[in-house]
Amino acid sequence: MSPQCIGYIIGIILLTALSAFFSASETAYNSLNKIKLKNKANEGSRGAKKALLLVDNYDKLITTILIGNNIVNIASATIATLLFTEIIKSADVAATVSTVVVTVITLIFGEITPKSIAKEFSESIASKIATILQILCLIFTPFTWLFSLWQKLMISIFKPNTNAGMSEAELITIVDEATTEGGINKEEGELIRSAIEFNELTVKDIFTPRVDVIAVDVEAKKDELRDLFLENGFSRLPVYEEDIDNVIGILHEKDFYKNYFKKEFDIKKYMTQTIWVTLNSNLSSVLKMLQKSKAHMAVVLDEYGGTAGIVTLEDILEELVGEIWDEHDEIVEDITQLSDNEYQITGSCNIEDMFDTFEQKYDSDELEVTTVSGWIVDHFGYIPAINEQFDYNNLTIKVIDADPKKIEKIYVKVLDKPAEEEENNFIDKFFIKDNDEKEEDNKKSDKLFHKEEKSAENNDNKVTTDTQKIDVDENKIEFDDIDISNLEKK
């Protein structure tokens, strides 16, 4: 082989390597996690800092990468044509062979392989090649400037949507993905999701309705008050005058017993000021109101100015951190599983919680009721009697306890899910099967890893007590503006 042909081969190898570099660069910067990159930058990584600068100038970066990739691919094809023209005397055959060989080499070594690797190690690769890309961006500045003018022209013509902000639904999807992939655990995911959705919640979603409120008449005697506190175990009671629609204050159990033995006992002297909210009040604003007033309870007004119910600080906090039980609470589960496909649900259960449990589709904006009892009454158009039932999608719902005013308990049987309205075509099934195989491989890898890790732990007989300590402060949940250390039962 002539020295000229050897030179051509070396040139093709170098150009293929450059093509791989540009392909890997493009994939790395397209698939990197900006949050992870910021964390690396905050930890002092210079490469991550430079990569962030490139991400902030993404249009200039991608233009540079595409220009470079096209230059090396065209040059590679040209040199390959010269090489095969030297080897094969027929120009037509040489051109055909050159096209096939360069296409295969470029696809395997210049595109598929580097892009597959870059996708798996995007942040690491982006940090390591940032300096080289910065130099290339500087070299190709005249070209990127011309293409930026063309880009501005296209934008002015097509006028794309400029709203690039992340929506709440997208953020929740990211949290779900992180929970599924193991980046955060289930409890952390639920806490983050609750915090994101907290601003959408109103008092109507969590308040205790009027029929369940234990209140006291302002004219009540000391013994009556004592019996109410002892019987119900509440630390605060709303005080009304004439009827419950006219709540005039809140009486705390401590204030009552502190003044119990005084000869002249007047409830009005010991009760605190009432805080009023409406059913549509935002929970975040109610929380700030209770904090500012140093109160734990607010009275909820209906549209006519009457008492619709009450809402407490504990109710609001439970929307963030889940149910809060103390040693005096009677634990009542809204949804109790009786068997694999049978459930018992209380009438006071939130209807959205029930739908989520059984994976039922619903539009929260169209729901005019908040409880299971209200939903069932709305479905029948009247208060059904015990043993009345109906079917809803793949659920059989039966009333098992009711009174003349509301539904107390229902029985739910989950049937097989109906076939989806739109079946996946064979192309969709192909990708679904491919994803299932990948998940199965990941599970096998995790199982093997944990097995090896367990074996290594069994062989290690010199584990000190210091390494077994768990720093509980790392997982401690803190609320800067909320003091729940003295939270009492409502």
Side-chain angles (χ1 to χ4, degrees):
M1 186 177 291
S2 65
Q4 190 174 7
C5 289
I6 294 173
Y8 288 151
I9 293 172
I10 294 172
I12 292 172
I13 293 172
L14 292 175
L15 290 170
T16 303
L18 287 173
S19 177
F21 168 79
F22 285 116
S23 298
S25 302
E26 181 183 359
T27 301
Y29 278 89
N30 278 335
S31 58
L32 64 78
N33 187 318
K34 195 173 179 181
I35 296 174
K36 290 183 179 179
L37 204 60
K38 283 184 177 180
N39 287 337
K40 285 187 176 183
N42 292 334
E43 290 171 1
S45 172
R46 294 182 63 186
K49 292 178 181 178
K50 291 183 178 182
L52 280 174
L53 290 175
L54 290 171
V55 171
D56 292 337
N57 293 276
Y58 183 77
D59 290 339
K60 190 173 184 179
L61 169 68
I62 199 66
T63 303
T64 299
I65 290 173
L66 292 175
I67 291 172
N69 203 17
N70 278 282
I71 289 174
V72 296
N73 287 339
I74 292 170
S76 178
T78 303
I79 293 175
T81 302
L82 294 174
L83 171 64
F84 286 102
T85 302
E86 286 287 331
I87 298 173
I88 305 171
K89 299 304 178 182
S90 174
D92 292 338
V93 176
T96 303
V97 173
S98 171
T99 302
V100 172
V101 172
V102 170
T103 301
V104 171
I105 291 174
T106 302
L107 276 176
I108 296 175
F109 300 104
E111 295 289 336
I112 297 174
T113 303
K115 285 187 175 182
S116 299
I117 296 172
K119 187 177 183 298
E120 297 298 325
F121 308 98
S122 52
E123 291 82 19
S124 177
I125 291 175
S127 300
K128 290 177 180 178
I129 63 177
T131 302
I132 299 173
L133 288 176
Q134 282 183 332
I135 295 171
L136 290 174
C137 286
L138 187 61
I139 294 172
F140 290 133
T141 296
F143 300 101
T144 55
W145 178 77
L146 289 173
F147 283 113
S148 68
L149 293 179
W150 174 256
Q151 183 184 23
K152 289 178 181 178
L153 176 63
M154 291 297 100
I155 290 174
S156 64
I157 293 173
F158 293 104
K159 296 179 180 178
N161 184 11
T162 56
N163 184 17
M166 184 178 294
S167 68
E168 184 177 296
E170 291 170 337
L171 190 56
I172 291 175
T173 302
I174 291 173
V175 174
D176 291 338
E177 287 291 327
T179 305
T180 303
E181 294 174 4
I184 56 178
N185 61 42
K186 184 179 178 181
E187 290 74 19
E188 290 172 337
E190 290 177 353
L191 182 60
I192 295 170
R193 197 179 298 108
S194 298
I196 294 170
E197 296 173 343
F198 186 68
N199 253 0
E200 290 186 354
L201 296 174
T202 62
V203 170
K204 184 180 179 180
D205 297 316
I206 68 164
F207 81 113
T208 301
R210 171 180 173 145
V211 293
D212 295 327
V213 173
I214 304 298
V216 60
D217 193 330
V218 70
E219 301 296 335
K221 305 299 181 182
K222 287 192 296 184
D223 292 343
E224 293 178 39
L225 290 171
R226 181 197 60 201
D227 292 342
L228 273 176
F229 278 119
L230 291 174
E231 181 182 348
N232 297 285
F234 294 141
S235 58
R236 294 171 181 81
L237 293 175
V239 179
Y240 63 86
E241 192 171 25
E242 295 183 1
D243 61 52
I244 197 171
D245 281 323
N246 184 29
V247 177
I248 59 174
I250 307 294
L251 179 63
H252 197 291
E253 184 182 24
K254 290 181 181 178
D255 295 328
F256 168 71
Y257 283 114
K258 189 187 296 183
N259 300 281
Y260 178 77
F261 294 103
K262 290 184 178 180
K263 291 182 180 180
E264 294 183 3
F265 183 87
D266 187 357
I267 294 180
K268 292 183 179 180
K269 291 182 179 179
Y270 313 122
M271 65 185 188
T272 57
Q273 186 179 358
T274 307
I275 296 175
W276 306 96
V277 297
T278 65
L279 286 168
N280 294 320
S281 296
N282 189 277
L283 281 193
S284 58
S285 62
V286 175
L287 176 60
K288 291 177 182 177
M289 189 186 304
L290 291 174
Q291 287 179 286
K292 187 176 180 180
S293 304
K294 298 180 180 179
H296 281 235
M297 180 185 291
V299 177
V300 184
L301 298 175
D302 60 24
E303 58 181 310
Y304 305 106
T307 300
I310 60 171
V311 64
T312 67
L313 181 61
E314 182 177 339
D315 293 330
I316 298 173
L317 293 180
E318 284 177 341
E319 289 303 310
L320 284 170
V321 300
E323 291 294 329
I324 300 173
W325 305 102
D326 64 29
E327 59 274 18
H328 300 296
D329 279 340
E330 180 184 352
I331 300 176
V332 178
E333 295 290 343
D334 286 330
I335 301 175
T336 304
Q337 187 168 358
L338 304 176
S339 66
D340 290 341
N341 64 337
E342 295 177 300
Y343 296 81
Q344 181 176 289
I345 302 175
T346 63
S348 59
C349 176
N350 187 287
I351 186 61
E352 293 185 15
D353 291 342
M354 173 181 159
F355 282 168
D356 290 338
T357 300
F358 299 118
E359 298 179 351
Q360 300 294 316
K361 295 181 180 179
Y362 66 94
D363 187 346
S364 58
D365 294 330
E366 292 183 0
L367 284 175
E368 297 180 355
V369 294
T370 58
T371 64
V372 169
S373 176
W375 176 66
I376 292 176
V377 171
D378 185 63
H379 174 83
F380 280 103
Y382 60 89
I383 299 176
I386 294 175
N387 293 328
E388 288 197 58
Q389 66 181 51
F390 66 96
D391 292 333
Y392 181 81
N393 294 339
N394 65 320
L395 304 177
T396 296
I397 299 169
K398 181 179 180 181
V399 178
I400 59 175
D401 190 8
D403 61 32
K405 295 182 179 179
K406 63 181 184 297
I407 307 299
E408 295 290 349
K409 290 179 184 177
I410 63 169
Y411 162 85
V412 178
K413 185 174 183 179
V414 183
L415 308 176
D416 293 334
K417 288 187 177 181
E420 294 182 4
E421 295 181 2
E422 184 179 345
E423 294 184 356
N424 294 316
N425 58 39
F426 76 97
I427 298 177
D428 294 333
K429 289 178 180 178
F430 171 78
F431 284 102
I432 291 171
K433 182 180 178 182
D434 191 39
N435 287 335
D436 290 342
E437 289 175 354
K438 285 182 179 179
E439 288 180 5
E440 189 65 29
D441 290 340
N442 290 336
K443 288 179 181 178
K444 288 180 180 178
S445 299
D446 290 341
K447 189 175 180 181
L448 180 62
F449 173 77
H450 290 305
K451 185 176 180 182
E452 292 175 352
E453 188 181 46
K454 186 176 180 181
S455 176
E457 288 177 357
N458 291 335
N459 292 332
D460 188 1
N461 297 321
K462 295 182 179 181
V463 181
T464 63
T465 55
D466 289 338
T467 60
Q468 294 174 340
K469 288 183 179 179
I470 299 174
D471 188 355
V472 296
D473 290 336
E474 291 180 359
N475 295 320
K476 185 178 178 182
I477 299 173
E478 295 181 354
F479 294 88
D480 294 335
D481 300 323
I482 305 172
D483 180 12
I484 61 173
S485 59
N486 295 318
L487 185 64
E488 298 178 74
K489 183 177 177 182
K490 59 187 176 185

